[in-house]
Amino acid sequence: MSTKNVSRESILAAATRLFHLQGYHGTGLNQILKESGAPKGSLYYHFPEGKEQLAIEAVQAMAIYIENDIKTYLRYDVDVMTAFQEHIRHIAEQFNNTDELDGVPIGLMAAETSLISEPLRKACQAAFEGWELLYAKRLIEAGYDPASAQKLGIVINSMIEGAITRSLTNKNGEPLQLIAEYIPILLKK
Amino acid sequence: MSTKNVSRESILAAATRLFHLQGYHGTGLNQILKESGAPKGSLYYHFPEGKEQLAIEAVQAMAIYIENDIKTYLRYDVDVMTAFQEHIRHIAEQFNNTDELDGVPIGLMAAETSLISEPLRKACQAAFEGWELLYAKRLIEAGYDPASAQKLGIVINSMIEGAITRSLTNKNGEPLQLIAEYIPILLKK
DNA sequence: GTCTATAGAAAGATAGAC
DNA sequence: GTCTATCTTTCTATAGAC
């Protein structure tokens, strides 16, 4: 069981990194196997439904990774505006050392696959909604009414995903820094 | 010359539509040719540098299409907040009749290609900056100082691109409607 | 259970007839 | 200039040895 998990986990780790950087269609199974060091046969043993199953699990893995990041930054013992700003600036930092991109969220996968695979679309939707729920909870805790907090969660998540695309295109984190700068205006009661 | 243009334009029109809906890697040249009705030979006659050149021209065509849409909605004779809201709600409408998606901006292409093709990345960057310039100009005309207007242009563009991804995932335009709802808060002086 | 070899389809690109 | 036929590579997926 331990060897099985090592092989499976290494394939999933490589898939998670590559899918989110290069996209679903831009990443070949051969590349995932080469990076993970596993042979092709074991991919279809561990992921019998092939590429689609691997992508769904990669989205779920990325969802948990980002959820932990959100929980780290949105602690209840810091000011809510500062917390959101530091969360966003933490994402922005990745775009300055442009080679070591990692943990880029699922926007690319979501846009690519929403029209072609219902299971993948639902996995992306669940990831987005999970993050938005964490945002909303933190806002409610800070005194916003639940209806507004839910809306703001979706708005903030959309802003972040869009600014990531914009930062990728600019090859720097400035768009994300700008989003962080305007958080206080958006959250002003 | 007229026949040449007809063939070239029909290939470019199909490429523009398909690239922006399905992405760069998700769209094959065969599919573009099938939809345009042109044979494969003429693609490489009109676009000697192949798929990359076709994608660059498709991004530029989409940039102009969106620019005209922005100019239509951001007229100087309507209130600036209302103008931005109607511009965004016009995009949102497309996501309600989910089958006739058309004119979805370049976010997917930008995220897919920024790391693999410098010419394509620059084409996407130029498109984004063109739209942001129009946003900023309209804000300056409405009395915002130029520095704030430029920043807001980038923030608004990022919000729209992110909300499009989010709307694609939800299969409805609600995230875009929410962005429109929060425009007055963002633009409050 | 793990891995190699390969099938079968589709990708982008090109050569050359007309 | 326009089009057809084909090349090479790469893709996902599978069969079967061990």
Side-chain angles (χ1 to χ4, degrees), chain A residues 89-101:
Chain A
R89 287 183 178 133
H90 174 238
I91 302 172
E93 280 169 24
Q94 299 208 322
F95 290 85
N96 295 331
N97 40 327
T98 173
D99 291 326
E100 289 193 15
L101 275 180

Side-chain angles (χ1 to χ4, degrees), chain A residues 94-133:
Chain A
Q94 299 208 322
F95 290 85
N96 295 331
N97 40 327
T98 173
D99 291 326
E100 289 193 15
L101 275 180
D102 199 13
V104 175
I106 64 169
L108 172 52
M109 289 277 281
E112 259 190 309
T113 63
S114 283
L115 295 173
I116 59 167
S117 164
E118 269 299 287
L120 257 171
R121 184 188 69 80
K122 283 180 180 161
C124 292
Q125 187 172 27
F128 282 140
E129 287 173 354
W131 305 339
E132 288 160 4
L133 187 64

Side-chain angles (χ1 to χ4, degrees), chain B residues 12-169:
Chain B
L12 184 54
T16 302
R17 204 182 75 84
L18 292 170
F19 275 141
H20 291 96
L21 273 178
Q22 306 179 340
Y24 183 76
H25 290 112
T27 303
L29 297 183
N30 292 324
Q31 189 185 11
I32 293 171
L33 290 166
K34 189 179 174 187
E35 178 155 324
S36 74
K40 181 163 287 193
S42 73
L43 190 152
Y44 282 94
Y45 173 74
H46 293 297
F47 303 90
E49 287 166 68
K51 191 179 190 180
E52 190 178 41
Q53 180 188 358
L54 192 54
I56 289 170
E57 295 203 29
V59 167
Q60 291 166 343
M62 183 59 77
I64 292 171
Y65 179 90
I66 303 287
E67 266 182 27
N68 288 329
D69 200 66
I70 293 173
K71 285 175 186 166
T72 300
Y73 279 90
L74 265 55
R75 302 175 67 86
Y76 288 178
D77 55 356
V78 291
D79 172 69
V80 63
M81 289 185 190
T82 309
F84 272 102
Q85 286 183 308
E86 291 191 357
H87 168 51
I88 294 168
R89 287 183 178 132
H90 174 238
I91 302 173
E93 280 169 22
Q94 299 209 322
F95 290 86
N96 294 332
N97 40 327
T98 174
D99 290 326
E100 290 193 15
L101 274 180
D102 198 14
V104 175
I106 64 168
L108 172 52
M109 289 276 281
E112 259 190 310
T113 62
S114 284
L115 295 173
I116 59 167
S117 163
E118 269 298 288
L120 256 171
R121 184 188 69 80
K122 283 180 180 160
C124 292
Q125 188 173 24
F128 282 141
E129 288 173 353
W131 305 339
E132 289 161 3
L133 187 64
L134 290 177
Y135 293 153
K137 272 177 153 173
R138 183 64 185 83
L139 289 168
I140 291 170
E141 202 276 336
Y144 294 79
D145 70 279
S148 298
Q150 198 207 345
K151 289 180 183 176
L152 279 167
I154 297 172
V155 170
I156 291 172
N157 186 40
S158 295
M159 287 174 81
I160 293 174
E161 284 291 343
I164 286 169
T165 299
R166 198 63 193 75
S167 289
L168 270 171
T169 306

Side-chain angles (χ1 to χ4, degrees), chain A residues 67-86:
Chain A
E67 267 183 26
N68 288 330
D69 200 65
I70 293 173
K71 285 175 187 165
T72 301
Y73 279 91
L74 265 56
R75 302 174 69 85
Y76 288 177
D77 55 357
V78 290
D79 172 68
V80 64
M81 288 185 190
T82 309
F84 273 102
Q85 286 182 309
E86 291 191 358

